[in-house]
């Protein structure tokens, strides 16, 4: 690390001279942040005074990056006072990713201040900024935000809500192809299952985490998980497995210093190993480890567990004086723990107060906005007149666009019906009216060309589909809805999906295989494209803009077929 810093610091001096606005310094800090957050923090510290001459954009970027690096380095953000300013800036000038980061870090500030409701509100806002339909979405960041929300619910002892957030965090970690992060999220579920008394689920999550960490070479992480597994084994008297779990935790977890002392926060190890020795009747060793817990009195739970263990051992040894002594000490520690738990309940009550306080702050901001409105209302009148004129022009253009879409869909539907009628007549005439065959084939060719003109690609795929499906009443009704600019009901969508399942079983089975990766809306786009609906029809049926349809097709082409853009999407869908 020191060698790395020696290389970095001269570079800072050179960069500051060449680029006084700090672009290169900020880029270097951002690059270091993921792997070396401490070094990134030092880079930012070195140029802190120079930020006074930065542009406003780079000053905001510097502060956002500083908060992000501190969070990566596990430093408390409770002292940061500028996050509201940063958030206001990026809400006005930032893109969706920057707004997501700003919301997330603002939530982390309130998290470190102990205001869980307000932290949760900002985390939810951060999730709202994530465009998860885009292939370039930062799914890893979304996963980390859900993990933070899960941790908040863990503090509030809401395991059901916590579990749902861990599942979402796991889902987005997998979409980010960050398998290690997904394993961490799955391991995080153990706390929720523990509160829900689902011991088998606790063990299953711990075992998955253990196996996953070993696979990715994280031996110390895997060994730490063994402590959870040891608790399960001891409760079920699987003493051989408990011994192996405790030994691996001791040897590989990194929870012990060079002198063999356990690191702060991991003292529960002494209780579990003491319990193991007690159950295997090695009472002297059990006494030794239970007494070790008394060396860490800062946490009342260590004293409670230590006295409880000592009392239990002396019960086995039938030493009445020691039983009485440690029973009294255990009772006192238990009372203190109950008081502490009561304090935790009070803390949750305080969290509700914090929520009310947040509501009060929102009300004050609303009143301030109302006062500003009263001052500016005269100028807003003139602005309103201009806005009205612009709105009328907008409505005029929108109506024109609507009429164009309606006309296009009407012509397309009419041509499509003519095409199907010609195909049916051709099939009927081939048996005994050969003189009409050539005429109808020419008519079909011309109609196919007309149909192709309404599509974004030049290929007509109608012949690849079951003719019965294309003539299905539901499909015809959908075309009529597109022409009349009507959105179908849920039952009509269900009928369309059912028809596709019957007539296109291979296609629907392949589409079902991507159920975890695509939304219901994306699934409907795939089905409509398969059935030769054009983008303007799809936009009407789904109630979205034509540009949104194009974006969805592009995203699906990347997700399902690994190809950029939407030009090849229709061909790919028809080949499914």
């Amino acid at each position: 690390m020191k060698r790395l810093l020696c290389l970095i610091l001269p570079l800072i001096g050179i960069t500051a001279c060449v680029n006084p606005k700090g672009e290169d310094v900020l880029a270097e800090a951002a690059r270091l942040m993921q792997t070396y957050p401490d070094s990134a923090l030092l880079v930012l510290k070195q140029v802190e005074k120079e930020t006074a001459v930065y542009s406003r954009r780079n000053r905001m970027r510097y502060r956002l990056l500083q908060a992000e690096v501190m969070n990566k380095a596990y430093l408390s953000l409770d002292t940061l006072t500028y996050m509201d300013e940063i958030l206001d800036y990026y809400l006005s000038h930032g893109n969706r990713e920057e707004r997501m980061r700003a919301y997330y870090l603002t939530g982390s500030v309130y998290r470190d201040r102990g205001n869980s409701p307000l932290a949760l509100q900002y985390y939810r806002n951060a999730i709202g900024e994530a465009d998860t339909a885009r292939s370039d979405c930062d799914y890893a960041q979304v996963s980390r935000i859900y993990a933070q929300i899960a941790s908040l619910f863990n503090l509030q002892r809401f395991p059901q809500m916590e579990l749902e957030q861990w599942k979402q965090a796991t889902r987005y970690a997998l979409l980010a192809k960050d398998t290690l992060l997904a394993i961490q999220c799955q391991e995080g579920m153990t706390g929720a299952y523990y509160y829900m008394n689902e011991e088998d689920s606790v063990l299953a999550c711990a075992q998955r985490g253990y196996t996953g960490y070993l696979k990715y070479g994280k031996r110390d992480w895997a060994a730490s998980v063994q402590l959870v597994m040891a608790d399960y084994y001891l409760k079920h008297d699987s003493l051989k497995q408990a011994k192996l779990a405790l030994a691996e935790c001791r040897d590989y977890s990194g929870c012990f210093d060079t002198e063999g002392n356990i690191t702060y926060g991991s003292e529960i190890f002494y209780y579990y190993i003491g319990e193991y020795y007690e159950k295997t009747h090695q009472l002297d060793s059990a006494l030794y480890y239970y007494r070790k817990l008394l060396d860490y009195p800062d946490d009342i739970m260590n004293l409670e567990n230590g006295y409880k263990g000592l009392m239990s051992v002396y019960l086995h040894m039938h030493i009445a004086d020691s039983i009485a002594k440690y029973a009294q000490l255990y009772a006192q520690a238990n009372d203190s723990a109950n008081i502490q738990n009561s304090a935790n309940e009070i803390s949750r009550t305080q969290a509700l107060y914090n929520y009310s306080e947040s509501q009060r702050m929102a009300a004050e901001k609303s009143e301030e906005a109302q006062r500003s409105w009263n001052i500016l209302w005269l100028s807003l009148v003139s602005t309103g007149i201009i806005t009205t004129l612009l709105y009328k022009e907008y409505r005029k253009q929108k109506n024109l666009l609507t009429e164009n879409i309606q006309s296009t869909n009407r012509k397309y539907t009419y041509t499509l019906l003519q095409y199907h009628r010609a195909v049916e007549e051709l099939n009927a005439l081939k048996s005994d009216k050969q003189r009409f065959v050539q005429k109808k084939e020419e008519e079909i060719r011309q109609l196919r060309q007309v149909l192709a003109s309404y599509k974004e690609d030049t290929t007509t795929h109608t012949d690849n589909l079951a003719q019965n499906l294309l003539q299905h009443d539901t499909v015809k009704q959908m075309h009529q809805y597109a022409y009349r600019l009507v959105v179908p009901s849920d039952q009509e969508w269900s009928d369309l999906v059912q028809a596709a399942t019957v007539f296109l079983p291979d296609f629907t089975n392949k589409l079902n295989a991507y159920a975890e990766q695509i939304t219901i809306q994306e699934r409907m786009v795939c089905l409509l494209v398969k059935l030769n609906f054009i983008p303007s029809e799809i936009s009407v049926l789904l109630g979205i803009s034509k540009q949104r349809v194009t974006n969805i097709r592009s995203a699906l082409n990347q997700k399902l077929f690994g190809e950029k853009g939407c030009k090849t999407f229709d061909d790919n869908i028809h080949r499914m």
Side-chain angles (χ1 to χ4, degrees), residues 107-258:
S108 298
V109 169
Y110 286 103
R111 172 202 65 197
D112 291 345
R113 291 177 183 173
N115 191 336
S116 296
L118 204 51
L120 178 60
Q121 176 183 327
Y122 282 109
Y123 286 150
R124 289 296 192 196
N125 290 343
I127 292 294
E129 291 294 340
D131 189 357
T132 55
R134 291 179 59 89
S135 59
D136 59 350
C137 175
D138 190 352
Y139 292 121
Q141 182 71 4
V142 176
S143 173
R144 286 189 285 269
I145 296 172
Y146 274 115
Q148 288 294 331
I149 295 174
S151 298
L152 291 179
F153 282 122
N154 179 270
L155 289 174
Q156 300 302 315
R157 298 184 184 179
F158 293 151
Q160 292 81 6
M161 292 296 294
E162 178 190 354
L163 190 60
E164 287 303 314
Q165 308 313 308
W166 282 124
K167 289 179 179 178
Q168 290 283 19
T170 303
R171 175 192 172 199
Y172 284 105
L174 292 173
L175 286 175
K177 298 181 181 179
D178 191 336
T179 308
L180 191 57
L181 178 59
I183 294 170
Q184 289 178 284
C185 294
Q186 290 178 326
E187 186 205 344
M189 297 179 188
T190 57
Y193 285 125
Y194 185 86
Y195 277 132
M196 295 163 69
N197 292 319
E198 297 185 16
E199 295 181 353
D200 291 341
S201 296
V202 171
L203 180 64
C205 286
Q207 287 175 331
R208 284 197 296 269
Y210 176 80
T211 303
Y213 290 144
L214 285 182
K215 179 180 178 180
Y216 285 89
K218 298 292 185 180
R219 184 64 186 272
D220 52 341
W221 295 9
S224 296
V225 176
Q226 287 283 28
L227 202 58
V228 178
M229 298 163 71
D231 176 55
Y232 177 90
Y233 295 142
L234 288 168
K235 286 180 179 177
H236 294 81
D237 292 327
S238 301
L239 300 180
K240 183 177 179 180
Q241 291 173 294
K243 178 182 179 181
L244 293 173
L246 290 167
E248 185 170 350
C249 181
R250 180 183 58 237
D251 296 340
Y252 298 104
S253 68
C255 292
F256 294 84
D257 60 24
T258 54

Side-chain angles (χ1 to χ4, degrees), residues 295-357:
D295 295 335
Y296 303 88
D298 291 343
D299 188 341
I300 190 64
M301 298 303 296
N302 290 334
L303 296 179
E304 182 183 11
N305 288 330
Y307 294 144
K308 177 184 176 182
L310 291 169
M311 179 183 68
S312 178
V313 172
Y314 285 122
L315 277 171
H316 287 298
M317 299 173 70
H318 306 291
I319 303 177
D321 291 345
S322 296
I323 294 172
K325 173 184 175 181
Y326 288 109
Q328 183 178 5
L329 290 172
Y330 171 61
Q332 293 173 354
N334 185 256
D335 288 342
S336 297
N338 287 335
I339 292 173
Q340 188 177 77
N341 288 334
S342 297
N344 290 336
E345 296 297 329
I346 293 172
S347 176
R348 283 192 287 279
T349 303
Q350 178 66 33
L352 294 176
Y353 167 78
N354 289 338
Y355 177 76
S356 299
E357 184 69 7

